[in-house]
Amino acid sequence: QVQLVESGGGLVQAGGSLRLTCAASGRTFSRYAMGWFRQAPGKEREFVAAIKWSDYNTYCAESVKGRFTISNDNSKNTVYLQMNSLKPEDTALYYCAARNRPGGSWYSPTQYANWGQGTQVTVSS
């Protein structure tokens, strides 16, 4: 079982930046990729970005391209989400998720086996 702990959320003004961190522990040897999702009140969970551990290939939602960057540090079993030029519509609870095998859509939450508790990001206008 993989344990995921997110941190780095907070309140920021529009145009500001935040860096989210997800620390993975436990059975990390079975890992394949990591992703970030977000969920705003009354909305479905939405894919933000993902990265493969082995080759660092990244996948990013159109809504955040050019503003958000996902990266990882294999030595620390940690994944980051650098968020720049934040907008009020980026306000959501951000979740880190682990994916253990290839195949299927990067965008579907059902492809991710393990989830963190989430960290709140609030962007004021």
Side-chain angles (χ1 to χ4, degrees), residues 34-82:
M34 297 289 290
W36 287 97
F37 285 75
R38 65 187 182 185
Q39 189 166 18
K43 295 189 176 181
E44 293 187 353
R45 194 163 294 191
E46 174 190 27
F47 172 80
V48 176
I51 186 167
K52 289 169 62 178
W53 285 109
S54 60
D55 57 16
Y56 304 97
N57 276 349
T58 61
Y59 308 84
C60 201
E62 286 296 326
S63 59
V64 303
K65 272 185 180 177
R67 300 189 298 122
F68 291 11
T69 303
I70 187 171
S71 61
N72 65 358
D73 185 334
N74 279 323
S75 67
K76 296 181 180 180
N77 291 332
T78 300
V79 177
Y80 307 97
L81 185 68
Q82 178 66 43

Side-chain angles (χ1 to χ4, degrees), residues 100-124:
N100 296 328
R101 57 178 61 90
S105 170
W106 286 101
Y107 299 84
S108 173
T110 61
Q111 298 298 324
Y112 296 77
N114 306 99
W115 293 83
Q117 294 299 307
T119 185
Q120 178 68 37
V121 171
T122 303
V123 185
S124 63

Side-chain angles (χ1 to χ4, degrees), residues 1-4 27 30 34-35 96-100 109 111-116:
Q1 188 73 6
V2 175
Q3 289 81 43
L4 306 174
R27 198 177 171 186
S30 64
M34 297 289 290
C96 175
R99 182 168 172 164
N100 296 328
Q111 298 298 324
Y112 296 77
N114 306 99
W115 293 83

Side-chain angles (χ1 to χ4, degrees), residues 16-38:
S17 298
L18 283 173
R19 188 195 197 202
L20 304 184
T21 299
C22 174
S25 61
R27 198 177 171 186
T28 54
F29 63 85
S30 64
R31 64 191 185 187
Y32 169 67
M34 297 289 290
W36 287 97
F37 285 75
R38 65 187 182 185

